[in-house]
Amino acid sequence: MVVARNNPRERIDETSKAIVEQLQADGRRSYAAIGQAVGLSEAAVRQRVQKLVDTGVMQIVAVTDPMQLGFARQAMVCIGVTGDVEEIAARLSEIDEVDYLVVTAGSWDILAEVVVEDDAHLLRLVNHHIRTIPGVTKTESFLYLKLVKQTYNWGAR
């Protein structure tokens, strides 16, 4: 899977956007095939992909099914904080079970998606790891019952 990241420091040209879109369609597509699609040599595609990764514009990762790996519970934990929200988010990002973390505007300060083995694991995580971080004032957990849609192919507009 390829996730495009918005990096305001670096604007990418149309050719690089086309490369991102090629990889979003198939993250295992060869550089030669991408080169044919976008009009570049294999070496030029390789260099551009490396630059896109190095600059944080995108990352190339494998997406797994947590259930197939023994993680039966996914949840979104909403977190209210006082103090420096970025400092608390940095602490939360160190927790292995957290796979997605955002600072938000609204009723909750931080949203943390977690993947755990079962409900007991979720309880230990929230009670002993998240709520013990100084500045965390409240949490609310939303258990995922069914994954209906998950996509990363929003393109490189």
Side-chain angles (χ1 to χ4, degrees):
M1 173 197 65
V2 176
V3 178
R5 292 186 168 185
N6 183 13
N7 187 345
R9 293 174 287 152
E10 172 131 0
R11 293 282 181 216
I12 62 172
D13 63 16
E14 293 304 314
T15 303
S16 290
K17 288 179 183 180
I19 291 170
V20 169
E21 289 173 348
Q22 289 286 311
L23 287 168
Q24 283 181 319
D26 180 357
R28 298 181 304 165
R29 187 167 286 157
S30 72
Y31 292 145
I34 295 169
Q36 286 181 337
V38 303
L40 292 176
S41 69
E42 180 179 345
V45 171
R46 182 179 293 107
Q47 288 176 337
R48 281 183 180 247
V49 168
Q50 190 60 53
K51 183 178 179 187
L52 291 166
V53 170
D54 290 346
T55 58
V57 172
M58 72 174 190
Q59 59 179 315
I60 300 172
V61 298
V63 176
T64 60
D65 178 351
M67 295 288 283
Q68 298 290 330
L69 297 174
F71 298 101
R73 175 65 70 206
Q74 288 181 272
M76 182 63 69
V77 180
C78 304
I79 304 162
V81 305
T82 59
D84 187 340
V85 69
E86 290 180 305
E87 183 178 310
I88 295 168
R91 291 277 307 274
L92 290 163
S93 73
E94 296 171 358
I95 298 172
D96 289 339
E97 292 90 345
V98 173
D99 70 352
Y100 179 80
L101 186 71
V102 293
V103 174
T104 65
S107 300
W108 296 99
D109 300 303
I110 299 172
L111 301 179
E113 183 180 71
V114 300
V115 179
V116 293
E117 294 171 7
D118 52 30
D119 290 341
H121 186 179
L122 178 60
L123 178 59
R124 285 191 310 276
L125 174 68
V126 172
N127 203 32
H128 298 292
H129 296 283
I130 295 175
R131 288 182 159 180
T132 59
I133 294 173
V136 171
T137 59
K138 60 184 177 175
T139 64
E140 183 175 0
S141 298
F142 294 91
L143 304 180
Y144 295 3
L145 299 177
K146 179 181 178 183
L147 178 62
V148 177
K149 181 179 181 180
Q150 181 176 24
T151 182
Y152 301 97
N153 295 334
W154 52 78
R157 297 179 191 114

